[in-house]
Amino acid sequence: MTTLDYDYLAKLVVKSRTGDSDAFAELYTATYSKQYRYAYQYVKDPNLAQDIIQEVYILVLRNLDALKDPRLFVSWLNQITFRVCYNFKTRLAMRNEEEISLEMQKNTDSFFGRELSPEEKVSLKYERTELMKCVLDLQPKEAQAIIMRYYNNMTIEDIADAMDCSRSTVKRRLAAGKANLRKKVKNYEWGGVFSD
């Protein structure tokens, strides 16, 4: 894990806001590697990860003035990267909705041990959509950990690497996220959706 000098990065943010392109280039150089690793772990495609990182830094450049505390640049950048990764995967999923729907049907049928009726499939699809909304309402780091673990099937080690934290921190975020989800979704019957 590379240690970043947050105070130095904050100074670069302030300079970048005044139009100093060298300062922004230095911000990019200092943070690119971690953001690329995160994007690659999330989407598992090097070309798509490059596209994501390009979009991330365009958003950063356009919205740098919106960052209230320059010392929080890295956290802010991590949130942007997560949102762009999530949006890219969502767009890909929408493009491949039919294929995903068939795969989901196969997995769901095998999970329940029988073929589901059309009504059950519609109900299950609705519940999964509602569940994702609840996940995205969690604290950002809890949502990231939940999505990487249960939607992207990443290992605890890969998540720790992508989020630049320890395995125990990932486990704590997953446990807290699941506990908060249970409070939000107690009206639904999702069974073992988030079981390990």
Side-chain angles (χ1 to χ4, degrees), residues 131-166:
L131 180 59
M132 180 51 83
K133 287 178 189 173
C134 291
V135 168
L136 292 174
D137 281 342
L138 293 172
Q139 292 293 321
K141 289 183 179 179
E142 290 175 9
Q144 287 176 349
I146 293 279
I147 289 170
M148 285 190 277
R149 179 75 178 112
Y150 299 105
Y151 288 85
N152 295 348
N153 297 318
M154 291 172 64
T155 66
I156 300 293
E157 291 77 15
D158 287 344
I159 297 169
D161 185 48
M163 295 183 82
D164 199 23
C165 64
S166 68

Side-chain angles (χ1 to χ4, degrees), residues 18 63 67 82-83 91 146 148 167 179-180 187 190 196:
T18 64
N63 297 292
L67 178 61
F82 168 70
R83 288 291 173 187
R91 287 196 298 258
I146 293 279
M148 285 190 277
R167 293 176 71 235
N180 289 327
N187 296 331
W190 282 310
D196 286 319

Side-chain angles (χ1 to χ4, degrees), residues 67-85:
L67 178 61
K68 292 178 183 168
D69 184 349
R71 290 173 299 171
L72 299 177
F73 174 75
V74 173
S75 295
W76 181 68
L77 176 62
N78 291 342
Q79 291 304 308
I80 291 171
T81 303
F82 168 70
R83 288 291 173 187
V84 173
C85 286

